[in-house]
């Protein structure tokens, strides 16, 4: 399955916001714009710009929507498949969905990111059926955090909510892990080479991080990314 481009994800999320808020006019009002401001409709409809391109949502508008609509930073950039979102005052059915704790410490996907203390900021609801498709009958130990930086793109985009199995505290096979290094958390890929040595790397070809672990580094595995 092809990964969606960020412009497509933002457009899908805009459609969801329009559905939740009733109209583009209502959202424009919350943004402090005139109700008939055309940009959201142009983005939603992929209206042509006249130069062979189409209207798309940039970073500035994405962050403005998050701020004005009180959404988590990076919400517009992340797919929300499997997340249960209530409408109005609907109550969650514990037989259908389950609470997964969300930590606000964040996980940097590049060497340069803000250092944030890990704190519990709330939770998100995931459907039990969705978790079972991932192989989790029991959600105990699953947590979520927000990814920062782009070193793991296109596998994980900045702003994405990342589901982590915190029960995993050691290398259990090639995959993506949540690492704690020198007071910061990082999301990196760990693999084993033909000599049995562990290698930490990134997925973004522009980053080109590849570091062999020889046992001298103080690296703590805090979980495996689901």
């Amino acid at each position: 399955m092809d990964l969606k481009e960020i412009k497509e994800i933002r457009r899908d999320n805009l459609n969801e916001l329009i559905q939740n808020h009733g109209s583009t006019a209502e959202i424009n009002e919350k943004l402090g714009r005139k109700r008939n401001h055309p940009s959201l409709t142009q983005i939603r409809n992929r209206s042509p710009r006249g130069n062979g391109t189409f209207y798309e949502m940039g970073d500035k508008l994405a962050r403005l929507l998050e701020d004005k609509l009180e959404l988590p930073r990076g919400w517009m950039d992340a797919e929300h498949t499997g997340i249960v979102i209530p409408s109005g005052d609907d109550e969650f059915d514990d037989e259908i969905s389950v609470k997964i704790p969300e930590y606000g410490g964040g996980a940097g996907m590049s060497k340069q990111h803000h250092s944030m203390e890990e704190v519990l900021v709330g939770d998100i609801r995931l459907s039990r059926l969705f978790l079972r498709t991932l192989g989790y009958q029991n959600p105990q130990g699953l947590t979520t955090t927000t990814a920062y930086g782009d070193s793991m793109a296109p596998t994980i985009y900045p702003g994405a909510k990342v589901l982590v199995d915190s029960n995993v505290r050691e290398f259990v096979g090639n995959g993506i892990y949540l690492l704690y290094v020198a007071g910061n958390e990082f999301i990196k890929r760990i693999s084993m080479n033909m000599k049995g040595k562990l290698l930490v790397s990134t997925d973004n070809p522009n980053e080109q991080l590849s570091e062999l672990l020889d046992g001298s580094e103080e690296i703590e595995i805090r979980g495996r990314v689901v």
Side-chain angles (χ1 to χ4, degrees):
M1 181 178 64
D2 294 333
L3 291 171
K4 285 186 178 179
E5 294 186 13
I6 191 70
K7 60 184 179 183
E8 297 173 344
I9 294 174
R10 287 174 177 172
R11 183 167 169 267
D12 288 345
N13 288 337
L14 174 61
N15 283 326
E16 183 176 331
L17 291 176
I18 293 172
Q19 182 177 355
N20 290 342
H21 289 271
S23 67
T24 56
E26 293 296 322
I27 297 178
N28 278 328
E29 193 170 275
K30 293 181 182 295
L31 296 181
R33 298 174 166 181
K34 292 183 179 180
R35 289 176 62 85
N36 62 351
H37 194 288
S39 66
L40 295 181
T41 300
Q42 290 169 334
I43 293 169
R44 184 186 194 188
N45 297 332
R46 292 192 77 243
S47 300
R49 300 177 65 95
N51 57 356
T53 62
F54 299 90
Y55 283 92
E56 298 170 355
M57 185 180 300
D59 292 342
K60 184 176 180 180
L61 178 55
R63 301 293 83 79
L64 180 64
L65 284 165
E66 292 164 357
D67 291 341
K68 296 299 184 181
L69 300 183
E70 298 182 352
L71 298 167
R73 182 54 58 97
W75 190 92
M76 292 299 300
D77 300 347
E79 293 187 79
H80 304 289
T81 303
I83 297 180
V84 181
I85 303 176
S87 58
D89 296 325
D90 292 350
E91 294 185 358
F92 288 110
D93 186 343
D94 288 332
E95 295 299 317
I96 298 175
S97 63
V98 62
K99 285 183 179 181
I100 304 294
E102 180 177 359
Y103 289 90
M109 295 193 295
S110 65
K111 292 182 179 179
Q112 298 178 349
H113 68 282
H114 296 292
S115 175
M116 293 166 286
E117 182 181 0
E118 179 181 282
V119 292
L120 183 65
V121 296
D123 54 64
I124 65 172
R125 281 273 183 169
L126 296 181
S127 69
R128 292 185 181 273
L129 176 61
F130 174 66
L131 291 175
R132 285 198 293 270
T133 63
L134 299 176
Y136 287 90
Q137 300 294 331
N138 183 357
Q140 186 174 2
L142 292 179
T143 65
T144 58
T145 189
T146 302
Y148 294 87
D150 60 359
S151 71
M152 289 301 292
T155 307
I156 303 174
Y157 285 104
K161 296 296 181 185
V162 180
L163 186 63
V164 177
D165 184 353
S166 65
N167 297 305
V168 178
R169 294 287 173 162
E170 60 184 15
F171 179 77
V172 293
N174 294 350
I176 300 174
Y177 290 80
L178 179 63
L179 307 177
Y180 183 74
V181 184
N184 292 309
E185 285 187 335
F186 296 85
I187 294 175
K188 301 296 181 186
R189 185 176 297 279
I190 303 181
S191 58
M192 181 178 289
N193 65 17
M194 297 296 291
K195 296 181 179 180
K197 300 294 185 180
L198 296 182
L199 185 71
V200 175
S201 61
T202 59
D203 286 6
N204 190 334
N206 295 324
E207 289 283 335
Q208 296 182 333
L209 170 67
S210 181
E211 185 173 343
L212 189 66
L213 300 182
D214 60 7
S216 62
E217 306 86 354
E218 293 185 5
I219 295 179
E220 175 188 347
I221 292 179
R222 288 195 165 181
R224 185 173 186 179
V225 172
V226 179

